[in-house]
Amino acid sequence: MADEIRALSAQLAQDPQSLVFLRLGEALRRKGQLEPATRVAMNGLERHPHLADAHDLYARILTDKHDYERAFDEWDMAVRIAPNHTGALKGLAFLYFKVGDIAQAEAHLEQARKVEPDDPSIDQAIEMMHKGAAPPAPTASTADSATAASPAAASSAAQAPKGGGFDEARVFAGLEGANEGLLLIDGAGRVLGGALRDRSGSDVTDSVAAYLAGVSQEAARTAKLLGLGAWNGLSAEGQHGNVHLAHPTPEALLLVVRERGTPLGRLAILAQRATAMARRWLETQ
């Protein structure tokens, strides 16, 4: 464990924007080093405020510190960003049970079960509540624990969708530039497919995905406040390139990046085609 923490700390020091803080914070929490874990989680949240997994990590740490009120706020924020975040749903169920609100606890577990029907821990927690016993204290998912021990596995998991490997040739077959400038993420900022590189050729996929987490919900709220109705897409011109955001499903987000000279109208049409393809692919997963 000590070697793992040193390795993860070194990775984070080399790239403070990296999502490795999630694994480092969880490793520290599991070892009972709650104050260092808190600092790691809070620094991560400062850089990635719309990342549901970051709020989930901080909530677990706060729960270990018996700061249940703030833990509730963090899990509530995680669910606002990613409504189907099962870790946060199970965490909220745990806290609702502690205050005696069995109905809300069970409702959150039922919602988590709809998202992950094959997770035996959810059925176990519901059964325990029916018997009057408290559900287990929230922990990181099995996948999170595995990736915490293996940075290589974490990178692989971050780029793989729940339904299997991402095949760009199949998902975006026939689409112009299908192998570049496309990024598909879920509501929690997890990469479902595609990849992005900066102008120097460095991979920035995970960093961009983290910053985009929650953007769909923010755009929907802004459009509603302005009386614009539902938002369909957002185009922007940059100094070195143009981008278009769209949402194939309510919880997924698609980013299309092209060179500066690409007309925004053409970019929007390209994004519409990519969105339709991504939606069809997501519906099969």
Side-chain angles (χ1 to χ4, degrees):
M1 176 69 77
D3 290 341
E4 173 190 343
I5 290 175
R6 282 195 293 269
L8 294 172
S9 298
Q11 290 182 53
L12 187 60
Q14 291 177 354
D15 182 9
Q17 295 290 341
S18 171
L19 299 186
V20 75
F21 80 90
L22 295 170
R23 305 197 300 278
L24 175 58
E26 178 60 20
L28 290 166
R29 186 190 74 85
R30 294 201 313 268
K31 197 174 180 182
Q33 297 182 10
L34 299 184
E35 291 310 316
T38 297
R39 290 194 294 272
V40 169
M42 293 185 68
N43 287 337
L45 277 168
E46 287 181 5
R47 292 182 170 89
H48 308 287
H50 299 296
L51 184 62
D53 284 347
H55 291 279
D56 178 43
L57 168 64
Y58 190 30
R60 291 197 303 272
I61 296 169
L62 290 169
T63 298
D64 287 352
K65 298 170 78 171
H66 304 291
D67 191 345
Y68 299 127
E69 183 175 352
R70 292 172 65 194
F72 183 94
D73 290 341
E74 291 300 319
W75 271 319
D76 181 64
M77 179 59 71
V79 171
R80 289 175 184 272
I81 294 172
N84 289 333
H85 193 291
T86 54
L89 290 170
K90 289 189 283 187
L92 288 171
F94 173 79
L95 295 182
Y96 273 120
F97 184 89
K98 287 190 71 67
V99 298
D101 194 337
I102 307 301
Q104 279 292 339
E106 186 167 357
H108 281 76
L109 286 174
E110 289 291 353
Q111 185 176 346
R113 182 158 60 180
K114 291 178 181 178
V115 180
E116 294 188 11
D118 297 327
D119 184 348
S121 69
I122 299 175
D123 292 329
Q124 180 185 13
I126 294 175
E127 183 178 351
M128 291 176 67
M129 285 199 308
H130 287 168
K131 294 179 178 179
T139 60
S141 68
T142 302
D144 289 340
S145 300
T147 56
S150 171
S155 176
S156 175
Q159 296 188 31
K162 294 180 180 178
F166 182 82
D167 184 352
E168 288 183 348
R170 176 167 59 88
V171 179
F172 297 114
L175 186 66
E176 173 197 357
N179 294 321
E180 61 180 44
L182 293 169
L183 182 62
L184 182 65
I185 67 171
D186 67 9
R190 296 186 182 90
V191 178
L192 301 178
L196 294 176
R197 295 184 181 277
D198 62 18
R199 299 190 72 202
S200 67
S202 299
D203 191 305
V204 294
T205 303
D206 288 341
S207 297
V208 173
Y211 280 113
L212 289 177
V215 166
S216 183
Q217 289 84 358
E218 291 294 336
R221 283 194 288 268
T222 301
K224 182 178 180 180
L225 288 172
L226 294 174
L228 301 178
W231 78 284
N232 296 314
L234 174 65
S235 296
E237 290 183 308
Q239 184 176 357
H240 301 295
N242 297 341
V243 299
H244 185 93
L245 282 171
H247 52 129
T249 68
E251 295 178 10
L253 195 68
L254 175 70
L255 175 67
V256 182
V257 181
R258 288 295 182 268
E259 295 180 352
R260 179 69 174 84
T262 305
L264 292 184
R266 181 180 177 185
L267 184 61
I269 293 173
L270 175 62
Q272 286 178 355
R273 294 177 60 196
T275 298
M277 293 177 177
R279 182 183 300 114
R280 287 195 296 269
W281 179 80
L282 288 167
E283 290 173 349
T284 66
Q285 302 307 302

